[in-house]
Amino acid sequence: MRKRESRDRTADRRNGHAPRRDWRLAALGSGCCSLGIACLTLVACSTAPQRPNGTAPTSNVASIIESPVAGPTVPLLPGASTMPSDFIMQSPWSRLRQRMAMPDCDYNPAVRRWTHAYAQSPVQFAASMSEAMPYLLIVLDEIERRDLPGEFAFLPYIESTYTPIASSGDRAAGIWQLMPDTARETGLSITPDYDGRLDIVASTHAALDLLERYQREFDDWRVVDLAYNVGEYGVKTRVGSGASNRSAEELARLRVNPGAHDHLAKLLAVACVASDPERFHIELPEPTLDDVLAPIELSAPVDLNLIAWIAGIDIAQLRRFNPGYTLGRIPANGPYGLLVPSAQRDQVESALALLPAEKWREWHEISLQQDETVDVLATAHEIDAAAVASINHVSSGGVLPAGQHVLLPGRGSGFPTENKVEPPARKLASAPSIHIVRQGETLWGICRAEHVRLDELLHWNGLQRSTKLHRGQRLRIDASAAESTASTAGGGTH
């Protein structure tokens, strides 16, 4: 960011954040936390906070897991597909608790006021943190790696309730609410099909770079927060540099935008609430393996539908993990990084390794009109049979029954003419639908959920009663038959 000696209010705003926007978002978080972040047990500090003496920083995107009772602490390696059932995730709250470096709940009356506002709905507060957990773990990992105060894990909550907010024009965006000029000056790219401010990993690096730079300038984490809100130069002209010994009263008298003082109060208030949840009758959520995301670095653009299919997750969920791709696809000129569930990372990377990069770009879903072998499908599309089998979660050399949905490369043309197919989206409303098997689901449970009979489900998918389902498996549901079954059941004659 180029240094300028004199800036007016408008310039300050362009280098920081809009106080009015922050007020609305924080008020939303306090009254009805729709998405949130996480917190911890707050350690009381002196008026002039110092850099934390945290534990050794970690570099893994995945969190650490530990035995629920006794036993060694074992790292959850990114990409691990299975974990022992007697292991649980290490709580992010204990990790954050060790990193607290700012004042406590009694810093000033504004902190106490905001504390009560955030705690007025315990259920919503906890739900917002649960919703934010995948992003929170990424931010926490990076905070630990840089040895920063744990309170800054709450900054995205204050700015956006951890929602990757999109915007246009000269407005802030992303979970960190970075302004366009600030984002570009920190190295983030903003194009029509990619916005680095919405990219969770890239924007987190950029925002924490700013915090570290402000700390070198001001040597006071409280002033760092003020600078993040109103702009570095707007604070510098009033505070100067290296003012780490200011008391709370002295800092409160600084003639900066009132929203900046409220921003700091809200940051400390959220930390206060989550640091002692029992006091506020709040039960903080704990992460699950599904909350742990891992990065994949690619060498070329890839169809997000292909990644979602391999990982066995919904395409909307994959896009939620990667909101930087504003058009729902990876642009030809990159960047090519993706966040995927950690438990599926190895599976995704292994399947992509079976394909030449030029085959990653476009894939389409079809419904087989007759029984077909994996080898025939692979030959027709000039790819390895092992790739077809891995991507579609079937055994190599196996036979796929008529009606099964499979994912194949290309835009839909080029499949053998004797197997005429049609993408499901173009069929009538009564066309077969797809049920993606979730962890722990059984054939009987799926039949109840879809209102179909077991013998029908087995027939549509070429299964036996003894078939073992696996997570991500796609089962065909005949919509017309399901509607008929549901109607009969509703009439009491089933």
Side-chain angles (χ1 to χ4, degrees):
M1 186 180 294
R2 295 185 300 275
K3 185 177 295 186
R4 299 182 178 91
E5 294 298 325
S6 175
R7 293 199 173 209
D8 58 17
R9 181 185 180 92
T10 301
D12 278 341
R13 189 178 186 276
R14 289 172 62 85
N15 282 277
H17 310 271
R20 287 184 296 174
R21 179 189 297 104
D22 172 76
W23 177 278
R24 296 191 190 100
L25 288 169
L28 174 62
S30 65
C32 124
C33 309
S34 61
L35 284 176
I37 93 156
C39 247
L40 45 109
T41 303
L42 191 63
V43 177
C45 298
S46 61
T47 300
Q50 303 298 317
R51 190 177 185 82
N53 295 317
T55 55
T58 60
S59 58
N60 287 339
V61 170
S63 299
I64 304 299
I65 61 172
E66 60 184 12
S67 172
V69 185
T73 298
V74 181
L76 173 62
L77 300 177
S81 58
T82 58
M83 292 302 300
S85 59
D86 59 341
F87 282 80
I88 60 173
M89 300 290 298
Q90 181 184 353
S91 172
W93 318 121
S94 63
R95 296 165 63 191
L96 283 166
R97 182 183 306 122
Q98 300 172 28
R99 312 206 58 78
M100 287 303 158
M102 295 194 203
D104 61 14
C105 305
D106 296 320
Y107 179 67
N108 61 26
V111 172
R112 291 190 290 272
R113 184 180 72 251
W114 279 107
T115 295
H116 290 296
Y118 284 120
Q120 67 182 358
S121 179
V123 173
Q124 291 176 345
F125 188 83
S128 69
M129 291 188 177
S130 178
E131 191 73 22
M133 190 63 71
Y135 297 162
L136 169 66
L137 295 177
I138 293 172
V139 172
L140 175 55
D141 281 343
E142 188 62 16
I143 282 178
E144 288 178 330
R145 189 184 72 81
R146 296 173 184 243
D147 195 24
L148 294 175
E151 287 92 342
F152 286 122
F154 306 120
L155 240 181
Y157 184 86
I158 300 304
E159 292 288 340
S160 67
T161 60
Y162 260 98
T163 306
I165 301 172
S167 71
S168 60
D170 189 24
R171 289 181 290 182
I175 64 172
W176 295 94
Q177 284 291 280
L178 295 171
M179 299 292 284
D181 287 349
T182 303
R184 292 188 178 96
E185 289 166 358
T186 58
L188 293 179
S189 173
I190 303 176
T191 67
D193 47 10
Y194 173 78
D195 190 336
R197 298 172 298 169
L198 302 179
D199 185 314
I200 304 304
V201 173
S203 65
T204 295
H205 281 280
L208 296 185
D209 284 347
L210 286 175
L211 298 182
E212 289 183 319
R213 193 181 80 195
Y214 296 162
Q215 174 62 7
R216 291 191 296 270
E217 179 74 26
F218 302 116
D219 193 28
D220 186 327
W221 293 116
R222 300 166 301 167
V223 179
V224 167
D225 182 76
L226 298 179
Y228 189 88
N229 179 250
V230 300
E232 174 184 5
Y233 300 101
V235 171
K236 185 175 180 179
T237 57
R238 296 165 177 83
V239 175
S241 300
S244 60
N245 294 320
R246 289 181 180 272
S247 67
E249 292 73 19
E250 289 176 318
L251 201 62
R253 288 195 293 269
L254 289 177
R255 297 172 63 100
V256 296
N257 191 300
H261 290 295
D262 239 21
H263 191 273
L264 176 60
K266 286 181 281 188
L267 185 72
L268 300 179
V270 175
C272 170
V273 173
S275 66
D276 189 7
E278 293 83 4
R279 171 183 172 186
F280 300 99
H281 309 290
I282 292 173
E283 183 176 356
L284 297 178
E286 296 296 341
T288 67
L289 287 179
D290 290 338
D291 291 320
V292 183
L293 304 180
I296 293 181
E297 295 300 325
L298 305 168
S299 59
V302 60
D303 190 332
L304 295 185
N305 288 290
L306 173 61
I307 301 298
W309 193 286
I310 296 172
I313 62 176
D314 188 79
I315 183 63
Q317 185 179 12
L318 182 63
R319 288 174 177 168
R320 180 196 168 210
F321 296 153
N322 299 276
Y325 300 118
T326 54
L327 300 182
R329 64 172 183 264
I330 298 179
N333 59 346
Y336 303 135
L338 277 178
L339 284 174
V340 299
S342 181
Q344 279 75 52
R345 188 179 76 166
D346 282 353
Q347 185 175 347
V348 170
E349 290 185 327
S350 297
L352 291 179
L354 298 172
L355 293 167
E358 60 268 19
K359 290 286 188 180
W360 292 357
R361 182 66 172 174
E362 293 179 340
W363 286 70
H364 65 286
E365 182 180 351
I366 68 170
S367 174
L368 296 176
Q369 300 301 299
Q370 63 184 44
D371 294 352
E372 198 55 88
T373 66
V374 170
D375 288 337
V376 167
L377 294 174
T379 301
H381 291 276
E382 300 179 341
I383 58 176
D384 192 285
V388 175
S390 177
I391 291 166
N392 290 284
H393 307 282
V394 297
S395 59
S396 297
V399 176
L400 302 174
Q404 179 157 338
H405 287 242
V406 296
L407 198 70
L408 295 170
R411 294 186 175 181
S413 60
F415 194 76
T417 56
E418 62 267 26
N419 291 319
K420 294 181 180 179
V421 296
E422 181 183 43
R426 296 183 180 179
K427 294 186 177 183
L428 299 176
S430 60
S433 61
I434 296 298
H435 179 96
I436 300 178
V437 177
R438 296 184 292 274
Q439 186 71 33
E441 279 195 310
T442 64
L443 290 169
W444 286 104
I446 293 172
C447 288
R448 288 195 299 270
E450 299 288 351
H451 304 292
V452 298
R453 293 190 294 271
L454 178 60
D455 58 344
E456 293 176 329
L457 183 66
L458 298 176
H459 172 71
W460 295 332
N461 295 280
L463 304 177
Q464 303 296 324
R465 288 175 180 264
S466 59
T467 298
K468 292 184 178 180
L469 301 179
H470 59 79
R471 180 180 177 179
Q473 185 173 351
R474 305 170 79 85
L475 299 180
R476 177 177 182 268
I477 305 295
D478 189 315
S480 58
E483 292 170 2
S484 175
T485 301
S487 176
T488 305
T493 59
H494 180 57

